[in-house]
Amino acid sequence: MQAGEGIRRASIRQVAAAAGVSMSTVSNVLNNPHRVLASTRRRVEEAMEQVGYVRNSAARQLRGARSRVIGCIVPNTANPFYAALARGMEDRLAEAGCVLIQCSTDAQSEREARYLHILQEQDVGGIMVSPVSVGLERLLKVRGRGTPIVLLDRERDHTDLCAASVDNVAGGELAAQHLLGLGHRRLAYIRAEKTVPSISDRAKGIDKALRSAGLDPATALMEVRVTPAAAAVVASEAMAGILAREERPTGVICFNDDTALALLRGLRQHGIRVPSEMSVVGYDDVDFAAELSPSLTTVRQPTYQLGHAAADLLLSEYRSAHTHQQLLFRPELVVRDSTRAPRE
């Protein structure tokens, strides 16, 4: 290149010529890759690399095309459950040539609202969100402005939204039924301090299992609310609640596996043996659950599949014949070494 010569971006016309295809085929590879044969798509992609073509997304959006950047808003991206969820989303979006932006709300309504505003300002192609509040008015307004919304880990109560979730009521019921089946009659549920719908639904499942067993939840169940913070804080708050009872619970259900891990540490520090003196059930079945000592009995969620399905629902919003759907996955109890029958 000579001094003073301007830098020019490679064009679609150049890509088409290099690949030996029409410009409309190149456009389909960029915007609707599922419509193009894999062999043709590879040839076009190789041509793009050869001529140095890079899509000008800003200009594309000015022409009214939909952004390939997708937003995701969840309580905590550092939580292993949401990390696996995001991987499922990312893999599905990658197939469609899209990328994912993740945001953590820490279960704060104000932070959720701020992220929704920022993502709309960036004109993202859609948002998948695990909402903090029970009401969906804020999300319906976002959708009304033209941004597709898919609910994550939350059953919808409005037919104008798609949702992908796991049956959390069934999950709570599975955990409680397991402990009750072992003979436990005094249970505890350690839950987040914030009222998040999925966690409240698990409480409903526990309540349902107790009533089915002829027990009064008012006397057979204690709820301990903890701050979603460092493990040491969770362990301290959980242990304070459990040890405050004259008649301690013999079986404890935790709202996620991170909390169960913190509880196991707290019980060990207080000399309470698991499972001989207290049984512990987690929730999610993240990777480390089977490696703990004792290995953790937990409720498994099909997390990757959930994320993949949510992204697929979002992509389907672009189709003219789209119909809003509710996808509800079934959780599964995984029994390991942290639970057994209570001592007489």
Side-chain angles (χ1 to χ4, degrees), residues 108 132 162 165 186 244 276:
Q108 296 175 16
V132 174
C162 278
S165 63
R186 296 192 307 276
S276 58

Side-chain angles (χ1 to χ4, degrees), residues 93-272:
L93 292 173
E95 293 172 7
C98 298
V99 296
L100 186 69
I101 293 178
Q102 298 180 65
C103 309
S104 295
T105 64
D106 290 335
Q108 296 175 16
S109 180
E110 299 79 10
R111 193 160 171 169
E112 177 183 276
R114 186 163 68 251
Y115 282 136
L116 283 169
H117 181 72
I118 292 171
L119 290 172
Q120 287 176 90
E121 282 187 333
Q122 297 303 310
D123 198 25
V124 295
I127 305 172
M128 293 174 283
V129 56
S130 179
V132 174
S133 56
V134 175
L136 300 176
E137 295 80 9
R138 178 188 291 161
L139 299 180
L140 288 168
K141 286 181 180 178
V142 172
R143 187 185 180 282
R145 298 185 192 112
T147 303
I149 294 286
V150 171
L151 298 178
L152 283 173
D153 199 27
R154 163 76 182 274
E155 292 184 45
R156 66 177 185 175
D157 51 11
H158 203 291
T159 56
D160 283 345
L161 293 173
C162 278
S165 63
V166 179
D167 190 338
N168 283 292
V169 174
E173 190 174 10
L174 281 172
Q177 284 175 339
H178 172 64
L179 292 173
L180 293 168
L182 291 172
H184 294 273
R185 291 297 178 265
R186 296 192 307 276
L187 306 184
Y189 177 39
I190 299 179
R191 58 181 295 172
E193 188 177 43
K194 298 278 187 179
T195 302
V196 177
S198 61
I199 296 172
S200 297
D201 283 347
R202 292 167 200 173
K204 292 175 185 176
I206 296 169
D207 186 281
K208 182 179 177 182
L210 288 168
R211 293 185 188 279
S212 296
L215 299 173
D216 181 0
T219 56
L221 177 69
M222 67 174 293
E223 285 198 356
V224 180
R225 295 179 181 259
V226 296
T227 307
V233 175
V234 173
S236 175
E237 292 178 346
M239 291 308 305
I242 289 172
L243 298 177
R245 282 290 180 97
E246 186 175 341
E247 286 193 319
R248 294 177 189 167
T250 60
V252 182
I253 300 167
C254 299
F255 77 96
N256 64 24
D257 289 342
D258 273 356
T259 302
L261 171 59
L263 178 65
L264 289 174
R265 289 172 177 164
L267 291 170
R268 188 178 298 117
Q269 290 167 0
H270 284 81
I272 301 172

Side-chain angles (χ1 to χ4, degrees), residues 29-87:
V29 170
L30 291 168
N31 303 310
N32 300 290
H34 59 282
R35 296 181 181 175
V36 185
L37 288 173
S39 57
T40 304
R41 193 164 64 240
R42 281 194 298 273
R43 193 161 80 249
V44 170
E45 288 168 349
E46 288 169 1
M48 289 179 185
E49 184 71 23
Q50 177 187 331
V51 304
Y53 176 81
V54 178
R55 176 200 291 263
N56 187 337
S57 293
R60 180 171 174 266
Q61 285 179 245
L62 286 172
R63 293 194 298 270
R66 188 175 294 278
S67 169
R68 303 202 304 175
V69 177
I70 305 299
C72 170
I73 303 175
V74 295
N76 182 6
T77 56
N79 184 306
F81 169 79
Y82 292 111
L85 189 74
R87 187 54 197 254

